Amino acid sequence: MKDFFYPASVAVVGVSEDPANLGRGIVANLIEFNYQGKFFLVGPRGGTLFGLPIYTSLQALPQKVDLAVILAPARVVASLVAQCGELGITRVVVESAGFSELSEAGKVLEAEILAALQKYGMRLVGPNGIGLMNLELGLAVPFSQMRPRPPLGSVSIISQSGGVGMHLLAWLTQEGLGLNKFLSLGNKLNVAENEALAYFLEDPGTSGVYVYLEGLSDGRGLMEAARGATKPIFLHMPNAGPETAAIAHSHSASLAADDKVLDAACRQAGIMRVTSQRDFLSAAKLLNQPPVRGNRLVALSRTGGQAVVIADSARRWGFHLAPISPRLAERIQARSRAGVIAPINPIDLGDVFDFTVYNDIMEELCRDPEVDAILFNYGPLAEFEVEAAREMARQAVEQARRGNKPLAVTVLATLKEEDFFRETLKVPVFHFPGEAIEALAMSRRFTEMRQTRTPVTGPLLFERERVAALLAQAPGPGFLPLPLALKIIEALGISPADWATAATPEEAAAAALRLGLPVCLKLSSPALIHKTEVGGVLLDLKEPEEVKAGFAQLAQVARSALPPGAPWEVVVMSQVDSGLEILLGATRDPSFGPVLAFGAGGIATEVLGDVSLKVAPVDEPEARGMMADTRLGQILAGNRGQSAADLPALARALAALSQLMTEFPQVKEVDLNPVKAFPGEGGILALDARIRVEEG
Amino acid sequence: MKDFFYPASVAVVGVSEDPANLGRGIVANLIEFNYQGKFFLVGPRGGTLFGLPIYTSLQALPQKVDLAVILAPARVVASLVAQCGELGITRVVVESAGFSELSEAGKVLEAEILAALQKYGMRLVGPNGIGLMNLELGLAVPFSQMRPRPPLGSVSIISQSGGVGMHLLAWLTQEGLGLNKFLSLGNKLNVAENEALAYFLEDPGTSGVYVYLEGLSDGRGLMEAARGATKPIFLHMPNAGPETAAIAHSHSASLAADDKVLDAACRQAGIMRVTSQRDFLSAAKLLNQPPVRGNRLVALSRTGGQAVVIADSARRWGFHLAPISPRLAERIQARSRAGVIAPINPIDLGDVFDFTVYNDIMEELCRDPEVDAILFNYGPLAEFEVEAAREMARQAVEQARRGNKPLAVTVLATLKEEDFFRETLKVPVFHFPGEAIEALAMSRRFTEMRQTRTPVTGPLLFERERVAALLAQAPGPGFLPLPLALKIIEALGISPADWATAATPEEAAAAALRLGLPVCLKLSSPALIHKTEVGGVLLDLKEPEEVKAGFAQLAQVARSALPPGAPWEVVVMSQVDSGLEILLGATRDPSFGPVLAFGAGGIATEVLGDVSLKVAPVDEPEARGMMADTRLGQILAGNRGQSAADLPALARALAALSQLMTEFPQVKEVDLNPVKAFPGEGGILALDARIRVEEG
């Protein structure tokens, strides 16, 4: 990737003298940004532009270039790429549109380009993007213009959409944050997000990365690229609702991942997900500050009202505004010339007009190991204070820097003082205290996420051969018959409630007496997915006669609800009324592979939405974490003096399901709902098991 | 209130020649804002300021003034107020601090001021605030300076904190929104929020009101002032967590309301609660647009990427981006000169460079009754387009105005175009599409809230005398004995599970046999609030011997857990295992009075937090609404083919509790948890009842 961002020479291909030619925008940017290398213009009609000659072909260039940027009609791009290959140009950016995002014919054109890349061992960014930028050397090849020119900063951007990336860049410029590098992915024909991300995480000029995606090329790869990163990654990926997915597809040929799985994967990989550019813009203001390592915040406020707003936001974002410690209060008193300052936090300095007191307090706070972050609500209230206030602000910024304390600045009422911070002190400013605290919380979250553990791949929790043999009995792709599914989960070490199969009313009644009444009856058939909805489940049958009648009723349901000749049988199962209903499940996500689920089961699953997901592998400690993330998990752990349920058994079951998914790719989906757990008692019991396989 | 905002003459009291005198800020503002009336300066040391004479006393003024603004030491304020009264000045603003917010002595000073107000029939704003503004006539009396001067707009502000109000004002100015009127409440000694709000809701210059409060003077009064308002009210009241409450108190002597009750009250009264100034700032950008009446949004976007972001936000905020109707698509095609535009929404115009097409589409959208709001993502991508794009934008704004369609504008990448909208077209701009959609959603929410019904005060659902007689049996203040509480709820028409009292093990066993086994036993004593925690509840006793042993066990608990001599008894109750656990409750909020609660009961109450609140009166239809607001309510209404529970009985029970609270002020709290309801069956059964009274 580095060769894309540090070329010593560039050819811009597709330039003409026509004022509506889009390629001229690229040339204008290279001039405006003062690109440090050499660049050449290429266009079949020749001529000159901005006083520079337009060469009529790549072959006519006076030297070999490191990078070619192509903005020519889609149909000629493959040929141009091949020409680059012949000339030994290994890095190409294609900004032209009209490929797979538009039509089937466009897909063919992409295939031709891919063939050329392979033949010559080249790499390509695009097509259907706006290229890339590296402000360290004034490299800027988007065709659209950027005014004012962004200053050099330490934020880098990877954006699937040129428009979204450019809009963010305009705001990074407005906020004084600037840019380091920019990559517009476009259709991701060759270079995709994971490779780019891995490069930016290594790049010394980048302190944080914003990634805008409309689809994932490889979710697992993204997790691997991110894991262990020492720089924060902010992922902005619009939610894949059906409407959004359709628009995203027509826009950039993307496949959107399930939103909740993506959330889970981000948490596991230490990626911060943002839902708006505004959120990232706030977070970016702290990128050049030390990370926030805890939740102890001290705020200095020029007015009491803002202090209340600060306290409210702090509570909302999980910060603790601990009262100033007596030791610190004493030191502040000793050093302050203004007499009594109440030892409350936020420290209200509304009545303090001697600004050296602020610096005395800052000095103490910066030295205090019990302070994790400082919020500084700055504001001269009148013209005559401005000069002294600015000197104080300058010192405060320097004090925090020396003390290595995260410092967030807001300005009170006098917005022109924001310009002073941004332009003179080169410190980004938050517009409202709440935004500052939200950004501090994101920084703290990044610290916390750095500490997440990696699941351990331990020994198998079940006998592999036994499970394999059972899976081999699958009659075909689709849902397994219930008895087989129950045998498989037994083999995994997850107990179902006592059960038996029955082929006649009499067998059912006999089984019920053996298992102990009351029982429930379940109609099982691979052709029947939602047995409850068609009346295929009968609960709480208390007498043998009821069981016989129930069997007859299910036989009737089988005849009316199943296709003629479809096999069916009846499972008799002990009725379990007590206990709490739990969902344990596993699916395969197209981007992330196996995903485990834990949550409230039974009829509550959909209504409560109290479900926690994790991308496999999930070992037992990870499973405990999943449970703790749900409200049900808190109930199971014992609440209000209630007893705890068998959490180890639940964790083991989740870990076993994770191993099942990893070991047996043919298993597509497992849904155990409900599983019952019993506060104050050991053990769990699965009352239902749905397993879907792809191949027998 | 109007007399405060439209004075023909003003006296500024407390002015001196000293450059550090705060009163000079007031004078500077009156000059800077070009106050249309006459104003006079008063200060005991006399002299001149800004070329104006400083009169040495109020008595020395050449004429009677309509309004006096006082910024003098706290100790002399009462005397100055009295002097105003003697001179017939009926409106006074006090900006001085040092009153109840500071000390007990300050409270005494406030009492003296109050006495003067009463004596002379005067009204007062403050103290400890920054006064008021009315930009219609250049009236601006805060002592702090505002630069640049806000333009005249239609937003009005009521702020308990001067600093918070001023900071918002700076941003309203920055965003081109301006201000109509401003009121800083300070300590609310005389004029408080409700009166001010009622005035602003009548004021022709005001189209929407932002209210910042740290405490409520009278919550019911706020609801009454707001109900029926035709202008949106935005309440920003920081959450009353314990930390915030302490700071708010030290800042402005406020008592904070319970946050969830406040939320409920706002919903009922049609007040929009905002949690940040940023949220209000977004909402304010639509104040001069027609209200959004439905969820059908059409977006016009200059880039595909922003279209995806727009679709994501639309989904998040409950808007439906319906595909363009065939009729509309046809018309657009007929009028557009650019050939094919895909009939998807957001309408992606990235490849359309002829801006008259935008106006053709706008024309159709503005005429379409099935479009509730339009989001316009505007952006010239290059210099040569700017002029044509601006002309198009000008027309689009005019088209929306003529068509009476809500229009939200965002600018793409080229932020200087934001200035064009704000400054030339006088149209506020959203910085990101998500903010525009959030604001559209708030406008829609305002429309919805206008349609809320008022609960009907129907006939009593119970026999008043019977309940009164039972309440009269209360042994004293505190929790009623369980048997009495159960009788009261029976009298309200809410059935408890079958129960009886027992004084001996034998009586308990006999009662159990009469009620039917299994039963549970509950120890009842006014001295015992949390009976479960001390082991005072025994469940699922199946045999008479178990019941006897249980009684003995509870007697032991009574001996160990209760104070010596405290009366106790045992309630025997039928064990009810089936059904869903529900919480029905009522409390009294210090600001809002009786509040009803409905939610998930049993051990889930605290963990799920699935509770809906409403301020009384709650009639049966309102109660149905409360239930529908919870996840439990959705389960009870029948979910995934399950049967519904007895919703009418639950609604009736809530309405009866509401009447109980309204009729009997001595009832402070009712907590029925759990009440059981039975999907598919009629009826509800209360398994516990806690009622707290203040006086017997």
Side-chain angles (χ1 to χ4, degrees):
Chain A
M1 287 301 300
K2 194 179 175 188
D3 294 345
F4 275 111
F5 287 97
Y6 290 91
S9 51
V10 174
V12 183
V13 184
V15 178
S16 81
E17 290 181 345
D18 180 355
N21 169 259
L22 288 175
R24 73 158 54 211
I26 302 175
V27 181
N29 278 325
L30 286 169
I31 294 168
E32 173 109 10
F33 281 68
N34 193 23
Y35 171 49
Q36 302 293 301
K38 283 187 182 173
F39 63 96
F40 305 95
L41 321 190
V42 179
R45 278 173 283 172
T48 59
L49 182 64
F50 303 129
L52 300 167
I54 304 175
Y55 296 91
T56 54
S57 71
L58 279 158
Q59 290 76 8
L61 291 183
Q63 68 166 75
K64 192 197 128 193
V65 294
D66 293 338
L67 176 72
V69 180
I70 298 173
L71 181 45
R75 65 192 144 68
V76 304
V77 169
S79 147
L80 288 168
V81 170
Q83 287 175 43
C84 288
E86 273 162 30
L87 292 167
I89 303 171
T90 60
R91 296 293 180 272
V92 180
V93 169
V94 177
E95 301 188 27
S96 322
F99 293 92
S100 61
E101 84 284 1
L102 185 74
S103 63
E104 287 301 313
K107 284 187 191 160
V108 175
L109 295 176
E110 284 189 357
E112 289 171 17
I113 296 174
L114 271 182
L117 296 184
Q118 200 151 26
K119 180 171 176 191
Y120 297 103
M122 302 161 70
R123 303 302 314 276
L124 180 142
V125 165
N128 189 28
I130 57 167
L132 49 82
M133 291 186 242
N134 176 5
L135 265 61
E136 288 178 15
L137 64 160
L139 178 72
V141 304
F143 64 84
S144 49
Q145 281 171 286
M146 287 150 292
R147 290 203 178 133
R149 178 178 134 187
L152 175 63
S154 69
V155 172
S156 290
I157 295 176
I158 298 170
S159 182
Q160 189 162 350
S161 152
V164 170
M166 294 294 279
H167 190 64
L168 178 64
L169 182 53
W171 274 100
L172 287 170
T173 305
Q174 176 93 348
E175 298 279 4
L177 290 159
L179 176 78
N180 196 277
K181 296 184 177 65
F182 181 103
L183 179 66
S184 164
L185 291 169
N187 287 1
K188 309 196 278 195
L189 180 62
N190 180 241
V191 168
E193 60 270 21
N194 297 347
E195 185 183 3
L197 178 61
Y199 167 65
F200 282 0
L201 291 174
E202 295 293 324
D203 172 42
T206 298
S207 67
V209 188
Y210 166 86
V211 185
Y212 173 82
L213 294 177
E214 289 165 3
L216 286 173
S217 304
D218 167 12
R220 289 251 162 199
L222 180 72
M223 291 178 78
E224 274 152 37
R227 226 190 287 263
T230 53
K231 301 169 188 176
I233 303 161
F234 301 87
L235 176 63
H236 183 190
M237 184 162 165
N239 184 317
E243 287 175 354
T244 321
I247 294 154
H249 183 76
S250 87
H251 173 235
S252 64
S254 290
L255 255 177
D258 182 280
D259 202 57
K260 284 181 178 163
V261 174
L262 181 59
D263 265 345
C266 285
R267 271 197 306 276
Q268 285 175 263
I271 295 169
M272 279 177 283
R273 202 164 169 206
V274 291
T275 54
S276 70
Q277 296 196 319
R278 164 79 68 199
D279 286 350
F280 169 68
L281 210 54
S282 281
K285 292 179 183 174
L286 291 182
L287 277 181
N288 289 323
Q289 296 279 334
V292 178
R293 294 182 201 284
N295 72 345
R296 298 163 303 179
L297 175 68
V298 176
L300 291 177
S301 179
R302 189 76 208 268
T303 69
Q306 294 285 54
V308 178
V309 172
I310 289 166
D312 179 39
S313 292
R315 190 194 47 72
R316 216 178 279 280
W317 291 100
F319 279 104
H320 182 50
L321 287 167
I324 307 302
S325 67
R327 196 180 48 77
L328 181 58
E330 200 179 290
R331 288 211 201 167
I332 289 175
Q333 293 298 359
R335 300 188 63 155
S336 94
R337 275 157 273 178
V340 177
I341 293 169
I344 60 165
N345 178 11
I347 305 175
D348 181 352
L349 296 169
D351 294 325
V352 177
F353 291 85
D354 171 3
F355 290 121
T356 62
V357 177
Y358 286 65
N359 291 121
D360 289 346
I361 295 174
M362 274 298 289
E363 197 62 43
E364 293 300 335
L365 293 178
C366 289
R367 214 179 274 166
D368 189 342
E370 288 176 19
V371 172
D372 293 314
I374 301 170
L375 172 62
F376 186 57
N377 183 223
Y378 161 92
L381 297 180
E383 212 54 62
F384 70 84
E385 299 185 323
V386 170
E387 206 179 318
R390 287 184 174 188
E391 179 50 33
M392 174 271 285
R394 191 192 308 275
Q395 283 186 39
V397 166
E398 187 47 38
Q399 285 169 314
R401 201 168 278 155
R402 271 202 316 268
N404 205 36
K405 285 283 182 210
L407 174 71
V409 176
T410 62
V411 152
L412 175 72
T414 46
L415 299 189
K416 72 176 171 179
E417 292 304 301
E418 286 198 355
D419 300 336
F420 165 71
F421 271 88
R422 258 192 305 267
E423 288 158 23
T424 308
L425 299 185
K426 306 289 178 201
V427 170
V429 193
F430 294 92
H431 305 310
F432 298 94
E435 293 179 358
I437 289 174
E438 186 174 348
L440 289 168
M442 285 186 90
S443 174
R444 186 192 59 198
R445 187 146 166 257
F446 177 68
T447 306
E448 288 163 3
M449 291 203 302
R450 292 302 86 205
Q451 292 151 5
T452 52
R453 64 184 285 282
T454 309
V456 177
T457 312
L460 276 192
L461 294 164
F462 49 81
E463 255 183 77
R464 196 183 188 291
E465 276 59 47
R466 192 173 149 211
V467 175
L470 287 166
L471 282 169
Q473 294 175 25
F479 285 94
L480 301 181
L482 180 57
L484 182 54
L486 291 170
K487 282 180 200 160
I488 289 169
I489 67 163
E490 277 181 303
L492 295 176
I494 304 169
S495 306
D498 292 338
W499 65 280
T501 55
T504 64
E506 291 68 29
E507 277 184 35
L513 286 169
R514 207 165 58 244
L515 299 172
L517 289 156
V519 296
C520 53
L521 297 185
K522 301 183 180 209
L523 180 62
S524 165
S525 168
L528 188 66
I529 297 167
H530 296 289
K531 36 188 182 304
T532 308
E533 278 76 350
V534 298
V537 177
L538 302 175
L539 299 176
D540 209 16
L541 307 175
K542 296 192 174 82
E543 306 293 336
E545 287 311 308
E546 274 190 81
V547 174
K548 282 186 200 168
F551 187 99
Q553 187 180 333
L554 290 187
Q556 182 57 41
V557 170
R559 277 189 292 276
S560 61
L562 297 180
W568 59 272
E569 57 197 320
V570 167
V571 171
V572 186
M573 187 177 269
S574 289
Q575 174 85 19
V576 181
D577 278 327
S578 62
L580 292 168
E581 296 191 317
I582 296 164
L583 158 82
L584 301 180
T587 53
R588 283 185 198 277
D589 180 88
S591 286
F592 291 99
V595 176
L596 281 295
F598 170 89
I603 59 164
T605 302
E606 287 176 28
V607 177
L608 294 185
D610 184 29
V611 174
S612 163
L613 302 179
K614 251 182 193 170
V615 174
V618 168
D619 62 7
E620 289 169 69
E622 290 291 301
R624 294 292 281 262
M626 285 175 74
M627 296 195 273
D629 284 345
T630 63
R631 296 183 296 265
L632 176 66
Q634 294 162 38
I635 295 178
L636 292 170
N639 160 268
R640 272 185 77 179
Q642 303 287 319
S643 309
D646 193 343
L647 301 183
L650 286 166
R652 198 198 156 284
L654 278 168
L657 287 182
S658 174
Q659 292 181 343
L660 174 75
M661 299 299 282
T662 314
E663 291 290 314
F664 298 101
Q666 71 266 43
V667 178
K668 295 300 165 197
E669 187 183 341
V670 181
D671 190 11
L672 312 184
N673 185 8
V675 173
K676 289 263 185 148
F678 310 92
E681 295 172 43
I684 59 176
L685 289 176
L687 304 193
D688 199 3
R690 294 168 58 222
I691 299 178
R692 188 166 62 82
V693 297
E694 195 148 82
E695 307 154 26
Chain B
M1 288 300 301
K2 195 178 175 190
D3 293 344
F4 274 111
F5 288 96
Y6 289 91
S9 53
V10 174
V12 183
V13 184
V15 179
S16 80
E17 290 182 345
D18 180 353
N21 169 258
L22 289 174
R24 73 158 52 210
I26 302 175
V27 181
N29 279 326
L30 286 170
I31 295 169
E32 174 108 11
F33 280 67
N34 192 24
Y35 171 50
Q36 302 293 300
K38 282 187 182 171
F39 64 95
F40 305 94
L41 321 190
V42 180
R45 277 173 283 169
T48 60
L49 183 65
F50 303 130
L52 300 167
I54 304 176
Y55 296 90
T56 53
S57 71
L58 280 158
Q59 290 76 8
L61 291 183
Q63 67 166 77
K64 193 196 126 193
V65 295
D66 293 339
L67 176 71
V69 180
I70 299 173
L71 182 44
R75 67 192 140 68
V76 304
V77 168
S79 146
L80 287 168
V81 170
Q83 287 175 42
C84 289
E86 273 162 28
L87 293 166
I89 303 171
T90 60
R91 296 293 180 272
V92 180
V93 170
V94 177
E95 301 188 25
S96 323
F99 293 92
S100 61
E101 84 285 1
L102 184 73
S103 64
E104 289 300 313
K107 284 186 190 160
V108 175
L109 295 176
E110 284 189 356
E112 289 170 19
I113 296 174
L114 272 182
L117 296 184
Q118 201 152 24
K119 180 171 175 192
Y120 298 103
M122 302 161 70
R123 302 304 313 276
L124 180 143
V125 165
N128 189 28
I130 58 168
L132 48 82
M133 290 188 242
N134 175 6
L135 266 61
E136 289 178 14
L137 64 159
L139 177 72
V141 303
F143 64 85
S144 50
Q145 281 170 287
M146 287 152 292
R147 292 204 177 131
R149 179 178 132 185
L152 175 63
S154 69
V155 172
S156 290
I157 295 176
I158 299 169
S159 182
Q160 189 162 348
S161 152
V164 170
M166 294 293 281
H167 190 64
L168 177 64
L169 182 53
W171 274 101
L172 287 170
T173 305
Q174 175 94 348
E175 298 279 4
L177 290 160
L179 177 77
N180 195 275
K181 296 184 177 66
F182 180 103
L183 178 66
S184 165
L185 292 170
N187 287 1
K188 308 197 280 195
L189 179 63
N190 179 239
V191 168
E193 59 269 22
N194 297 347
E195 185 184 4
L197 179 61
Y199 168 65
F200 282 0
L201 291 174
E202 295 293 324
D203 172 42
T206 298
S207 67
V209 188
Y210 166 87
V211 185
Y212 173 81
L213 293 178
E214 290 166 4
L216 286 174
S217 304
D218 166 13
R220 288 250 163 200
L222 180 72
M223 292 178 78
E224 275 152 35
R227 225 189 288 263
T230 54
K231 301 170 187 175
I233 304 161
F234 300 87
L235 176 62
H236 183 192
M237 184 163 165
N239 185 318
E243 288 175 353
T244 320
I247 294 153
H249 183 76
S250 87
H251 172 234
S252 63
S254 291
L255 253 177
D258 181 279
D259 202 56
K260 284 179 178 164
V261 174
L262 181 59
D263 265 345
C266 285
R267 271 197 306 277
Q268 286 173 263
I271 295 169
M272 280 178 283
R273 201 163 170 206
V274 292
T275 55
S276 70
Q277 296 195 320
R278 165 79 69 198
D279 286 350
F280 169 69
L281 210 53
S282 280
K285 291 179 183 175
L286 291 182
L287 277 181
N288 288 323
Q289 296 279 334
V292 178
R293 295 182 200 282
N295 73 343
R296 298 163 304 180
L297 176 68
V298 177
L300 292 176
S301 179
R302 188 76 206 267
T303 69
Q306 294 284 53
V308 179
V309 172
I310 289 166
D312 179 38
S313 293
R315 191 194 46 72
R316 216 178 279 279
W317 290 101
F319 278 104
H320 182 50
L321 288 167
I324 307 301
S325 67
R327 194 180 50 77
L328 181 58
E330 201 178 289
R331 287 210 202 169
I332 289 174
Q333 292 299 357
R335 301 189 61 157
S336 95
R337 275 157 271 178
V340 178
I341 293 169
I344 59 166
N345 177 11
I347 306 175
D348 180 353
L349 295 170
D351 294 326
V352 177
F353 292 86
D354 172 2
F355 290 122
T356 62
V357 176
Y358 286 64
N359 291 120
D360 290 345
I361 295 173
M362 274 297 288
E363 197 62 43
E364 293 300 335
L365 293 178
C366 289
R367 215 178 274 165
D368 188 341
E370 289 175 20
V371 172
D372 293 314
I374 301 171
L375 172 62
F376 187 58
N377 183 224
Y378 161 94
L381 296 180
E383 212 55 61
F384 70 84
E385 297 184 323
V386 170
E387 207 178 318
R390 288 185 174 188
E391 179 50 34
M392 174 271 286
R394 191 191 309 273
Q395 283 186 39
V397 166
E398 186 47 37
Q399 287 169 313
R401 202 166 280 156
R402 270 202 317 267
N404 204 34
K405 284 282 183 210
L407 174 71
V409 176
T410 62
V411 152
L412 176 70
T414 45
L415 299 189
K416 71 176 170 178
E417 293 303 302
E418 286 198 353
D419 299 337
F420 165 70
F421 272 89
R422 256 192 306 266
E423 288 158 23
T424 308
L425 299 185
K426 306 289 181 202
V427 170
V429 193
F430 295 92
H431 305 309
F432 299 94
E435 293 178 358
I437 290 174
E438 187 175 348
L440 289 168
M442 285 186 92
S443 174
R444 186 192 58 199
R445 186 143 167 259
F446 177 68
T447 305
E448 289 162 3
M449 290 202 302
R450 292 301 86 205
Q451 292 152 5
T452 52
R453 61 183 287 284
T454 310
V456 177
T457 311
L460 276 193
L461 295 163
F462 49 82
E463 255 182 78
R464 197 184 188 291
E465 274 60 47
R466 195 174 147 209
V467 175
L470 287 166
L471 282 168
Q473 295 174 25
F479 285 95
L480 300 182
L482 180 56
L484 182 54
L486 291 170
K487 282 180 201 161
I488 289 170
I489 67 165
E490 277 182 303
L492 295 176
I494 305 169
S495 306
D498 292 337
W499 65 281
T501 52
T504 65
E506 291 68 30
E507 277 184 33
L513 286 169
R514 208 165 57 242
L515 299 171
L517 288 156
V519 296
C520 53
L521 297 185
K522 302 183 180 209
L523 179 62
S524 165
S525 167
L528 189 67
I529 297 167
H530 296 289
K531 37 187 182 302
T532 309
E533 278 77 349
V534 297
V537 177
L538 301 175
L539 299 175
D540 209 16
L541 306 177
K542 297 191 175 83
E543 306 292 337
E545 286 312 309
E546 275 189 80
V547 174
K548 284 187 202 166
F551 188 99
Q553 188 180 331
L554 291 187
Q556 181 58 43
V557 169
R559 276 190 293 275
S560 61
L562 298 181
W568 59 271
E569 58 197 321
V570 167
V571 171
V572 185
M573 187 177 268
S574 290
Q575 174 85 20
V576 180
D577 278 328
S578 62
L580 293 167
E581 295 190 320
I582 296 163
L583 158 82
L584 301 180
T587 53
R588 284 185 198 276
D589 181 87
S591 285
F592 291 100
V595 176
L596 283 295
F598 170 88
I603 59 165
T605 302
E606 286 177 27
V607 177
L608 294 184
D610 183 30
V611 173
S612 164
L613 302 179
K614 252 182 192 169
V615 174
V618 168
D619 61 7
E620 290 169 69
E622 291 291 301
R624 293 293 281 262
M626 284 175 74
M627 296 194 272
D629 284 344
T630 63
R631 295 183 298 265
L632 176 67
Q634 294 162 38
I635 296 178
L636 293 170
N639 161 266
R640 272 184 77 180
Q642 303 286 319
S643 310
D646 193 342
L647 301 184
L650 286 165
R652 200 198 155 285
L654 278 167
L657 287 181
S658 174
Q659 292 181 344
L660 174 75
M661 298 300 282
T662 313
E663 292 290 316
F664 299 99
Q666 71 266 44
V667 178
K668 295 301 164 194
E669 188 183 341
V670 180
D671 191 11
L672 311 184
N673 185 8
V675 173
K676 288 262 186 149
F678 311 92
E681 295 172 43
I684 59 174
L685 289 177
L687 304 193
D688 199 2
R690 293 168 60 222
I691 299 177
R692 188 166 62 82
V693 296
E694 195 148 83
E695 305 154 27

